[in-house]
């Protein structure tokens, strides 16, 4: 008897069936095929039917996995537009020189990677010969994100092309002499060749997505038409485990970025062993990308497999390929034909019969050498399909053998990522395999020779002709002679000089007001790129929504819920704001693309990315390092900064260390401004240095980090003559006398109080308490940048070693200042302590060390000992040690203030 409470299968479908009889006929047909031809045939028909439905655009759930075969059948492959034999010779030379360069470098102990390029050579060569547009043609060319460990192969090609010499190759990973080559793609180290640093795994794919998206942004806003540029990202299958690698896949499909192609080199190996030993990484990646809306092209098997697939009349071969785990596929690489006959073919009677038709040589050829990523025709077909596909990005899953052509000692070995050289005998075997005209006599004293057919050789002419037809050399980075941007009107910055009067104003809001004025500038306003990770309202930026618009490739297809309000949520195809949602990593990738547009596209853009300071550097410091390597320019703004200014938010929101992390980045100019006029002065100077007329010796390839606060405070008027000190990092804000404080004794003890950021306000309160309650005169200094003071001092020290006399700015500024120095910061003491060794006066500091906590601002400051009363006690203690106040005063102050 049927359980009346049980859910029947038909009840699970919420869609009404208009014709139950027809449905039953379809189901009966499937049952009949299953009974007559078996479940494998039924499954095959279902997959083909779903593929046809998907191809016809029917609204069905996507088929996430396809068979473990090439997406493009052999019969459908387009003919290669070029000389395949010539391209094979070019690739052979590049394989050789890549391996020779690393092997020769290994004698100096500098390391290098051979196996990655060996597996991916055809993936690059096919692109260079047929697809990658250079920068000397129309537009900006293509953007190439080269897999970091494949760099030797790229250098080898540049050597064949005449762009590098043997001396360059011999100085691989030896840069200090001036003619060396960096280990990986580092634009800062080789700025004419590399555009994008990629070796910090996971950042390449993320940046590639946002680069493709930023290209669309530039076109949509009418800055420059870069619609013909294509972004190619070369990745490793092991690299796809990094969370950043797949973090933005849905963004790419949601926005239809068909100007983007991922090429994933699926050699099934990561650094220590198989990527998915007991599973299949290709199938996993296919499901992930198809589920994210990408077009997926698989290029798995070479032409040697064609015969096997033609023999597979029952589908047994395809089933077996789908079920064999990746680690076993690697094992087949290293075993003989007998093993493969037994282990692979012996699992199914149909395969046993198939194997009888195959010679041992055929089996070895298929399982050891023939992969889709190793044949130009297969790769060409995949690339052609990628650039032809419209409406979605494409990922190419190309199966290769790690260490291909390097000999049995390398191919598919778990340790091959750490293997840095080949023996002379192995090189000779490689030479014979690649059919290169290199004689034994060229191996002098065991040194492997570089190979080059000659500057006028057919291979070189062919290579150069192909590149000329595609728009010039690649990869290549352009340093455009871009005209300096005109400076915004001085009144934009001077409006902050008079202060806020009786109004309290947070420095976060002061920065936003400054930006609102700057984006209205007729000359440069359109070049600002505001970037926000879904916190615009937190930072008071919602007023920019209706005036600038939020970029969306679809515009605004709905009526916003707040349309009747003045500051409604406005999306637009030409929107200027990039509101990325809750992704600091995505926002940073945006910033990197915008900050380097001056080189990538010859268009200067001024990005500013504003974020919770705690969730910027701490979470994405690796991308900030990438930004410095890529020579990016712009403004990073750590808002709601400091350890004690966020009332009630607690430990993970309390930033007490971002300036420490920022100080580790040589390209970051880190500032902790206290007042609105300081922000204006720093931004003005930043625009001059990065986008205008930099002073002699100034590095333009820097970016600025400003911390701003959400605590409304009085903003004073700008004192005269402080601009230099603001930019360099320190100036005297006032003295006890100029502050109007009455210090009774003519020879009163004096102390210098240095404060930064929001701490300046507690310092000013302490100045008043010291004068009125303890008879101590305190001068207050604003330290806008502890880091820049330190860097200037380090440069002065280096100059002394060269025999040049130079006094650090911090010492110049404090020269003659009476009494000891007490520095105060809302960050850990390590931040102000950066400059301690260059201060001639007695030094001490206060800071917010330790974890943050939830409480009021005043309670948090008391907890960390940085409030005004704690400053007073610390100042008295410092003076007492010098004998300038009585020791009892310190005890009395502690008791009076409840410390």
């Amino acid at each position: 008897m049927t359980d009346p409470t049980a859910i029947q299968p038909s009840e699970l479908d919420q869609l009404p069936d208009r014709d139950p009889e027809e449905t039953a006929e379809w189901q009966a047909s499937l049952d009949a095929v299953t009974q007559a031809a078996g479940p494998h045939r039924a499954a095959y028909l279902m997959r083909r039917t779903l593929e046809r439905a998907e191809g016809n655009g029917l609204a069905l759930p996507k088929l996430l996995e396809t068979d473990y075969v090439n997406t493009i059948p052999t019969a459908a492959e387009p003919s290669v537009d070029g000389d395949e034999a010539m391209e094979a010779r070019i690739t052979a030379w590049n394989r050789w020189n890549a391996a020779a360069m690393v092997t020769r470098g290994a004698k100096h102990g500098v390391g290098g990677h051979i196996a990655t390029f060996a597996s991916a050579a055809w993936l690059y060569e096919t692109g260079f010969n047929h697809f990658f547009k250079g920068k000397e043609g129309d537009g900006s060319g293509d953007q190439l994100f080269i897999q970091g460990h494949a760099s030797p192969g790229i250098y080898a090609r540049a050597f064949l092309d005449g762009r590098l010499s043997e001396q360059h190759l011999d100085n691989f990973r030896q840069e200090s002499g001036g003619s060396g080559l960096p280990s990986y793609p580092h634009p800062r180290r080789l700025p004419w060749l590399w555009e994008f640093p990629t070796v910090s795994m996971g950042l390449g794919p993320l940046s590639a997505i946002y680069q493709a998206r930023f290209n669309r942004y530039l076109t949509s806003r009418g800055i420059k038409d870069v619609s013909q540029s294509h972004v190619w990202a070369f990745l490793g299958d092991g690299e796809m485990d990094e969370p950043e690698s797949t973090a933005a896949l849905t963004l790419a499909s949601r926005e239809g970025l068909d100007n983007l192609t991922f090429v994933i080199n699926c050699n099934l190996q990561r650094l220590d062993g198989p990527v998915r030993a007991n599973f299949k990484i290709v199938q996993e990646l296919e499901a992930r990308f198809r589920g994210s809306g990408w077009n997926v092209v698989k290029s798995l098997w070479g032409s040697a497999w064609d015969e096997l697939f033609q023999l597979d009349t029952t589908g047994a071969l395809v089933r077996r390929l789908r079920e064999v785990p990746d680690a076993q596929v690697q094992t087949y690489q290293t075993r003989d034909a007998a093993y493969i006959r037994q282990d692979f073919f012996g699992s199914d009677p149909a395969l046993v019969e198939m194997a009888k038709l195959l010679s041992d040589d055929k089996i070895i050829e298929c399982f050891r050498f023939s992969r889709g990523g190793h044949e130009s025709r297969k790769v060409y077909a995949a690339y052609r399909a990628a650039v032809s596909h419209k409406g979605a990005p494409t990922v190419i899953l190309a199966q290769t053998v790690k260490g291909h052509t390097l000999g049995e000692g390398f191919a598919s070995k778990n340790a091959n990522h750490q293997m840095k050289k080949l023996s002379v005998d192995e090189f000779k075997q490689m030479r014979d395999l690649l059919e290169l005209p290199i004689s034994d006599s060229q191996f002098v004293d065991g040194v492997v020779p570089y190979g080059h057919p000659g500057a006028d050789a057919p291979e070189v002419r062919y290579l150069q002709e192909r590149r000329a037809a595609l728009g010039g050399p690649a990869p290549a980075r352009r340093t455009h002679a871009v005209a300096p941007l005109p400076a915004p009107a001085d009144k934009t910055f001077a409006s902050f000089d008079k202060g806020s009067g009786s109004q309290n104003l947070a420095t976060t809001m002061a920065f936003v007001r400054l930006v609102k004025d700057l984006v209205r500038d007729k000359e440069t306003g359109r070049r600002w790129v505001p970037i926000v990770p879904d916190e615009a309202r937190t930072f008071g930026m919602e007023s920019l929504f209706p005036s600038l618009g939020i970029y969306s490739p679809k515009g605004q297809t709905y009526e916003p819920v707040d349309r009747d309000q003045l500051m409604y949520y406005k999306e637009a195809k030409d929107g200027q704001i990039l509101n990325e949602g809750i992704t600091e990593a995505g926002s940073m990738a945006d910033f990197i693309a915008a900050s380097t547009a001056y080189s990538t596209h010859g268009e200067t853009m001024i990005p500013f990315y504003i974020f919770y300071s705690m969730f910027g550097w701490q979470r994405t410091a690796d991308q900030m390092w990438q930004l410095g390597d890529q020579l990016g320019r712009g403004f990073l703004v750590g808002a709601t900064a400091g350890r004690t200014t966020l009332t009630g938010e607690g430990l993970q929101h309390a930033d007490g260390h971002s300036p420490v992390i920022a100080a580790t980045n040589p390209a970051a100019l880190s500032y902790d401004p206290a007042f609105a006029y300081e922000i204006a002065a720093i931004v003005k100077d930043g625009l001059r240095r990065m986008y205008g007329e930099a002073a002699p010796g100034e590095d333009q390839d820097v970016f600025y980090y400003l911390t701003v606060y959400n605590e409304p405070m009085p903003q004073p008027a700008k004192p005269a003559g402080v601009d230099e000190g603001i930019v360099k990092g320190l100036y005297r804000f006032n003295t006890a006398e100029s502050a109007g404080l009455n210090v009774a004794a003519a020879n009163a003890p004096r102390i210098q109080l240095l404060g930064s950021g929001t701490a300046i306000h507690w310092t000013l309160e302490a100045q008043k308490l010291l004068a009125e309650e303890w008879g101590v005169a305190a001068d207050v200094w604003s330290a806008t940048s502890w880091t820049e003071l330190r860097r200037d001092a380090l440069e002065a020290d280096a100059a002394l070693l060269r025999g040049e006399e130079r006094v650090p700015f911090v010492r110049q500024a404090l020269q003659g200042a009476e009494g000891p120095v007490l520095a105060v910061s809302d960050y850990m003491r390590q931040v102000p302590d950066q400059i301690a060794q260059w201060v001639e006066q007695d030094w001490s500091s206060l800071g917010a060390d330790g974890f943050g906590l939830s409480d009021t601002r005043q309670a948090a400051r008391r907890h960390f000992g940085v409030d005004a009363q704690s400053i007073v006690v610390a100042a008295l203690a410092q003076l007492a040690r010098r004998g300038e106040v009585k020791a009892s005063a310190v005890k009395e102050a502690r008791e009076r203030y409840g410390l």
Side-chain angles (χ1 to χ4, degrees), residues 746-875:
N747 59 345
R750 186 172 290 271
I751 190 169
Q752 307 298 317
L753 301 179
L754 278 58
S756 67
T758 194
I760 199 79
H761 299 285
W762 331 322
T763 307
L764 289 168
E765 187 180 346
Q767 179 191 40
K768 185 177 180 182
L769 289 174
L770 283 167
E772 294 178 351
E773 299 186 15
W774 305 98
V776 172
D779 300 339
V780 173
W781 299 69
S782 179
T784 55
S785 179
W786 309 101
T787 302
E788 287 307 295
L789 291 172
R790 175 180 175 80
R791 288 175 177 171
D792 171 79
L794 289 172
E795 289 174 7
D797 286 355
L800 284 174
L801 291 175
R802 297 191 299 267
E804 304 170 16
E805 286 293 332
R806 201 180 131 193
V807 179
F809 179 79
V810 63
R811 188 168 294 172
Q812 295 177 44
L814 290 170
Q815 187 173 15
E818 298 178 37
V821 168
L822 174 61
V824 187
S825 168
D826 200 24
Y827 297 93
M828 54 197 301
R829 288 175 60 181
Q830 184 176 340
V831 176
D833 284 349
Q834 292 180 86
I835 65 169
Q837 72 184 82
W838 293 281
V839 174
E840 293 182 324
Q841 294 85 348
D842 291 342
W843 173 274
S844 65
S845 63
L846 295 175
D849 285 78
F851 287 112
L853 76 166
S854 301
D855 214 314
T856 64
R857 292 184 178 115
Q858 187 58 33
R861 285 162 191 165
R862 176 56 59 91
H863 169 80
F864 286 110
V866 293
D867 61 341
Q869 292 76 16
S870 298
I871 295 172
V872 170
V873 173

Side-chain angles (χ1 to χ4, degrees), residues 626-709:
Q626 177 190 5
L627 168 65
D629 192 347
Q630 201 166 318
L631 309 175
R633 305 169 185 173
F635 296 95
L636 298 174
V637 183
T640 56
R643 184 147 276 166
T644 70
T645 59
L646 276 169
T647 55
E649 288 286 0
L651 185 149
Q652 284 193 291
H653 283 67
D655 172 21
H657 53 280
S658 69
V660 177
I661 309 175
T664 66
N665 191 312
L669 277 61
S670 178
Y671 286 90
D672 186 24
F675 305 122
Y677 67 78
E678 292 179 352
I679 292 173
I682 293 165
V683 171
K684 180 180 180 181
D685 192 69
L687 290 172
R688 174 200 62 79
R689 176 169 178 173
M690 294 186 290
Y691 303 104
E693 297 285 356
E698 273 188 325
D699 184 2
Q700 279 193 286
D701 298 320
V702 296
F703 59 93
Y704 282 63
Y705 175 54
L706 282 72
T707 49
V708 294
Y709 300 83

Side-chain angles (χ1 to χ4, degrees), residues 95-381:
R95 285 182 181 279
W96 176 272
N97 287 322
M101 174 174 54
V102 175
T103 298
R104 288 166 69 127
K107 292 190 175 183
H108 302 288
V110 296
H113 300 284
I114 303 177
T116 296
F117 177 73
S119 67
W122 275 115
L123 303 181
Y124 292 106
E125 293 298 327
T126 303
F128 285 129
N129 288 327
H130 300 282
F131 292 94
F132 304 158
K133 294 187 287 291
K135 298 181 179 300
E136 295 174 2
D138 296 333
S140 300
D142 288 353
Q143 288 82 56
L144 309 180
F145 288 76
I146 304 292
Q147 192 178 4
H149 291 134
S151 61
I154 309 305
Y155 290 139
R157 194 171 213 274
F159 170 65
L160 195 65
D161 193 13
R163 293 199 290 164
L164 292 176
S165 66
E166 285 195 15
Q167 183 183 11
H168 285 115
L169 300 192
D170 263 347
N171 285 325
F172 174 58
R173 293 193 170 200
Q174 299 173 77
E175 299 179 76
S176 59
S179 62
L181 300 178
S183 53
Y184 303 122
H186 293 302
R188 186 169 284 275
R189 293 301 186 202
L190 202 61
W192 60 268
L193 181 73
W194 298 119
E195 271 197 292
F196 306 105
T198 55
V199 80
S200 188
M201 291 190 181
L203 300 190
L206 179 70
S207 292
I209 290 174
Y210 280 89
Q211 182 67 56
R213 197 281 197 91
F214 189 74
N215 290 357
R216 290 282 175 85
Y217 170 90
L218 286 178
T219 301
S220 296
R221 289 197 53 219
I223 301 292
K224 182 179 182 180
D225 184 357
V226 295
S227 57
Q228 298 307 305
S229 289
H230 199 89
V231 177
W232 300 82
F234 289 84
L235 318 168
D237 47 1
E239 181 179 7
M240 301 312 292
D241 283 345
E242 289 284 4
E244 295 89 351
S245 294
T246 55
L249 296 186
T250 53
L251 167 71
S253 60
R254 186 169 64 245
E255 300 203 0
L257 298 181
D258 51 22
N259 60 337
L260 169 68
T261 298
F262 275 16
V263 181
I264 303 182
N265 178 17
C266 298
N267 57 36
L268 313 185
Q269 286 183 254
R270 51 191 178 198
L271 276 61
D272 288 332
V275 178
R276 292 290 184 272
N278 296 298
F279 306 93
K280 302 192 79 63
I281 185 60
V282 168
Q283 299 301 88
E284 179 183 319
L285 291 175
E286 179 184 29
R288 176 172 287 192
F289 278 89
R290 287 175 68 88
S292 298
W294 286 54
N295 175 45
V296 178
V297 177
K298 293 196 289 191
S299 182
L300 308 181
W301 308 110
S303 55
W305 284 83
D306 290 348
E307 179 184 344
L308 275 68
F309 289 124
Q310 290 171 2
L311 295 172
D312 185 29
T313 57
T314 65
L317 176 62
V318 172
R319 290 196 301 274
R320 182 63 176 147
L321 289 174
R322 194 166 59 239
E323 69 188 19
V324 175
D326 283 352
Q328 190 63 20
V329 173
Q330 298 295 84
T331 298
Y332 295 149
Q333 279 292 135
T334 62
R335 299 301 178 90
D336 58 21
Y339 178 89
I340 299 171
R341 286 182 187 277
Q342 179 181 349
D343 190 88
F344 182 84
F345 291 99
S347 63
D348 187 296
L351 293 180
V352 171
E353 294 303 311
M354 179 188 294
K356 292 178 181 178
L357 303 175
L358 304 174
S359 67
D360 285 355
D361 288 345
K362 182 66 175 181
I363 290 175
I364 291 298
E365 180 187 12
C366 288
F367 283 84
R368 191 170 293 179
F369 303 113
S370 186
R371 298 291 183 271
H374 293 325
E375 295 187 14
S376 62
R377 185 171 293 269
K378 304 292 184 185
V379 177
Y380 183 91

